[in-house]
Amino acid sequence: MNDERYARMLSPRRLAATAAPLAALALGVLALLVLADLITLGAAAAAVAFMISLAALALLVVTVRRLDGKAHRIDLRIKKHETELARTTAALRSIETRLDVLVQAVEDSAARRADDLGAILASLGEDRVNAMARAREVAELREEVRGLAKDRV
C-alpha cells in the first residue's frame, strides 16, 4: 500500500509542468479582473503572493514526500540486507560448529592412530627382543649340538 502511494507521487518537474499553465491562467484572470476594475491592485498582489506561497508549499510537500519515499525504500533495502546478514551469520555459525566437530574427530583419530602405532612399535620391539633371545638360544643349542657331534666322533 505504501509502495503504491509513493509510486503515484508527483515529481517536482511534473508538478512544475502541471502548475505552470495553471499559474499563467490564474495570472491572466487576475489581470482581467484588475483591468475590469472588479478587484484592486493590492488585492491582486495579495492573491499572487498567496499563490506563490502555495506553490512553494506544494513544492516543499512534494520534495519531502519524495525524500520520505526514498528513505522508505532505503529502509526496506537495509532490512533486506540485515535479514540476509542474519541468515549468513547463522549459516557461518552452523559451519563453525560442524568444523569444531570435525576438528575434534580428526584430533581423536590422530590420537588413536598414535596409540595404535605405539602399540605396533612396542609389539615389534617385543618380537625383536624375543627373536634375539630365541636366536641366542638357537645359537647355544647349535654349539651344544656341534659339541656333542664332535664328542661322538
Side-chain angles (χ1 to χ4, degrees), residues 7-144:
R8 289 183 280 134
M9 286 189 320
L10 285 176
S11 69
R13 199 173 292 144
R14 275 182 70 189
L15 178 66
T18 304
L22 292 176
L25 180 66
L27 287 175
V29 169
L30 279 175
L32 285 177
L33 289 175
V34 168
L35 289 176
D37 208 21
L38 295 174
I39 62 170
T40 64
L41 187 60
V48 168
F50 183 69
M51 286 189 320
I52 290 172
S53 64
L54 280 179
L57 183 63
L59 182 64
L60 182 66
V61 166
V62 166
T63 303
V64 168
R65 284 191 63 189
R66 284 179 57 83
L67 287 176
D68 183 47
K70 288 180 181 181
H72 178 69
R73 287 190 299 277
I74 290 170
D75 189 42
L76 289 177
R77 280 190 215 129
I78 288 172
K79 287 179 183 177
K80 178 183 169 187
H81 291 304
E82 285 174 347
T83 303
E84 290 297 322
L85 184 61
R87 283 187 201 149
T88 303
T89 303
L92 285 175
R93 283 188 186 136
S94 173
I95 290 170
E96 185 176 314
T97 303
R98 289 180 186 171
L99 282 175
D100 289 342
V101 168
L102 288 173
V103 165
Q104 187 61 39
V106 167
E107 287 174 356
D108 292 345
S109 175
R112 280 194 308 269
R113 189 174 306 120
D115 291 344
D116 291 346
L117 285 175
I120 289 169
L121 290 174
S123 174
L124 287 174
E126 288 173 4
D127 289 346
R128 186 171 181 191
V129 169
N130 290 338
M132 289 172 65
R134 286 188 192 141
R136 274 191 230 124
E137 289 175 9
V138 169
E140 289 172 3
L141 286 174
R142 281 187 192 154
E143 290 298 324
E144 286 179 22

